[in-house]
Amino acid sequence: MILILASGAAALAAATPIHSAEITHASNAYTASYQTASTIHVREVESRFANRPSVPVCRWQAELVVNRAVAAQGRPIAAVAKSIHRFAPLSGSHAGKCTAARSQIEAEVARYSVAQSVHATAIAQQDRAVLVNELDGIQALSRKGAVTGG
């Protein structure tokens, strides 16, 4: 059995921007941007039978996530950047080698991503309240540290 695992670069090229929001919080201006990103994992296996030649099969699984990035004054805020939603994984198999099936797999994942785009945008739009709560928590920790640290 041959095993090949690919991710990241084998993923659909770049993240797709789906939504952005301007948020003013504690007299700071934040820009939240949301993107979908796909990662594809492939595994090539060869079936071996006593009376037949081996046949390669490419098994794959793709993950689609909605990521949030936040910046203040053009500088990224890592504390609140994260994946905010993971869709159900998509999987399948193709007869033959994974290198030959790559374009078919990427096309299937692209169709899935397009089909989920309305849902992904709605998730991003609903994240505003969650982000404001996270910024409240960071501000509270900052104030607490300033009071006890002095």
Side-chain angles (χ1 to χ4, degrees):
M1 181 186 316
I2 297 173
L3 178 67
I4 300 173
L5 179 66
S7 65
L12 286 181
T16 307
I18 58 168
H19 179 67
S20 65
E22 300 294 325
I23 298 171
T24 302
H25 181 272
S27 53
N28 290 319
Y30 297 93
T31 303
S33 60
Y34 299 86
Q35 304 165 340
T36 56
S38 300
T39 305
I40 301 171
H41 302 277
V42 297
R43 185 178 63 162
E44 194 172 297
V45 296
E46 288 191 22
S47 304
R48 298 199 184 267
F49 300 102
N51 57 354
R52 290 185 266 168
S54 65
V55 178
V57 175
C58 180
R59 294 193 179 132
W60 60 273
Q61 182 173 11
E63 294 181 13
L64 178 66
V65 297
V66 177
N67 292 324
R68 175 209 304 151
V70 180
Q73 300 171 346
R75 303 183 83 189
I77 312 285
V80 288
K82 63 181 182 178
S83 293
I84 62 167
H85 184 76
R86 289 190 188 288
F87 288 93
L90 182 65
S91 62
S93 63
H94 288 278
K97 296 196 173 283
C98 290
T99 54
R102 181 149 327 266
S103 63
Q104 293 172 321
I105 295 167
E106 289 176 353
E108 281 188 58
V109 175
R111 284 190 297 273
Y112 179 68
S113 182
V114 168
Q116 297 298 333
S117 64
V118 171
H119 188 207
T121 301
I123 289 166
Q125 291 169 341
Q126 294 169 1
D127 184 59
R128 183 182 189 94
V130 174
L131 176 56
V132 169
N133 284 339
E134 290 177 16
L135 293 171
D136 285 342
I138 291 170
Q139 184 182 14
L141 286 174
S142 296
R143 275 186 278 154
K144 184 176 181 180
V147 171
T148 60

